[in-house]
Amino acid sequence: MTATVIAIDGPSGVGKSSVSKETARRLGFGYLDTGAMYRAMAWLAHQRGVGDPGDVVELVRGAELEISTDPDAFAIEVDGIDVTDDIRDPEVAQFVQTVSAVPEARSELIERQREIIAAASPGIVVEGRDITTVVAPQAPVRILMTADEAVRIARRAAELHGAADAAHVDSTRAQISDRDARDAQTTNFTTAADGVVTLDTTHIGFDESVAAVLELIGDRT
Ligand code: C5P
């Protein structure tokens, strides 16, 4: 049986991970966090002192990557090292493009993502920045989650620091806008491609976002 694939893209801080995970739970589906794969590879490259694009490609091709698709038990290992917590370090987000900006490194990770998707049953929610367009353009449900930048910054600041006060908002703004601008050079997650539904979450909270995603899935599968 072929897995039902739910593809969700969006920029930093939009809340796509928590919404994707909850959607997967409600449906009894798997959950694939593709950003975690880029982060784990970037973590490994950093550890090994690898930065040259050619060396990064070699590193990614040779690395063992184990990622859980259980939405209740997320874990990721690279070359046998558990990096589940390390990859959430904001510093990793600052050098993740050492990997994600290299086309051949992307191709390798995309291939692995497609293998994981092909092995899923009965379905899988896959989130990232190029899922609706490159990784799974044939998915029956493809969603681009958006929210105004101020809202995304406040959400990310609250997630990282437990509060969206002025100092944290300022530092988070710098991190988010810089990373999104650089990511936008390799992936399109700001405008919906043909057939992709935009879900603007600027004025809706977590529960409503999950409900909206579930409704779209109900309509399309
Ligand atoms: O989603 P998350 O913030 O964890 O993603 C980390 C980074 O991984 C992004 O900033 C981007 O550089 C890269 N990424 C990507 N393509 C994806 C998912 C993530 O390039 N599908």
Side-chain angles (χ1 to χ4, degrees):
M1 198 183 89
T2 318
T4 302
V5 181
I6 313 300
I8 303 186
D9 284 328
S12 312
V14 75
K16 60 188 185 304
S17 296
S18 42
V19 169
S20 299
K21 225 183 265 186
E22 182 60 16
T23 302
R25 271 187 206 113
R26 301 264 193 105
L27 296 170
F29 279 16
Y31 159 70
L32 180 60
D33 176 351
T34 62
M37 297 172 76
Y38 287 93
R39 285 171 182 258
M41 289 302 181
W43 180 90
L44 186 67
H46 196 67
Q47 286 287 309
R48 303 259 169 97
V50 171
D52 174 76
D55 297 339
V56 166
V57 173
E58 207 173 306
L59 181 87
V60 170
R61 285 189 180 143
E64 250 182 71
L65 195 59
E66 284 290 331
I67 182 166
S68 159
T69 55
D70 178 346
D72 289 313
F74 178 74
I76 184 162
E77 278 186 14
V78 63
D79 278 355
I81 309 160
D82 186 335
V83 292
T84 308
D85 295 329
D86 296 302
I87 60 164
R88 296 300 161 205
D89 189 328
E91 206 189 297
V92 173
Q94 298 312 304
F95 56 72
V96 67
Q97 280 129 350
T98 319
V99 173
S100 65
V102 180
E104 295 91 336
R106 298 193 67 81
S107 304
E108 173 66 29
L109 289 182
I110 289 167
E111 206 172 295
R112 294 183 191 210
Q113 289 157 14
R114 289 183 177 145
E115 281 167 15
I116 296 168
I117 292 169
S121 176
I124 187 159
V125 182
V126 188
E127 59 115 334
R129 295 200 176 39
D130 59 349
I131 314 305
T132 62
T133 52
V134 180
V135 176
Q138 313 297 335
V141 185
R142 292 182 296 149
I143 300 169
L144 178 71
M145 272 181 75
T146 63
D148 288 355
E149 193 180 41
V151 170
R152 294 191 286 111
I153 290 165
R155 280 180 191 161
R156 181 51 59 88
E159 177 193 325
L160 291 176
H161 310 289
D165 55 60
H168 288 137
V169 163
D170 275 352
S171 62
T172 307
R173 177 181 296 112
Q175 288 165 10
I176 279 192
S177 42
D178 181 49
R179 183 150 64 100
D180 279 348
R182 284 186 283 148
D183 281 340
Q185 293 171 13
T186 37
T187 45
N188 173 21
F189 52 88
T190 48
T191 54
D194 252 10
V196 175
V197 177
T198 301
L199 176 62
D200 184 350
T201 66
T202 305
H203 303 293
I204 62 172
F206 173 74
D207 291 339
E208 276 177 279
S209 301
V210 173
V213 170
L214 288 170
E215 198 178 323
L216 282 168
I217 295 171
D219 290 347
R220 282 154 194 261
T221 55

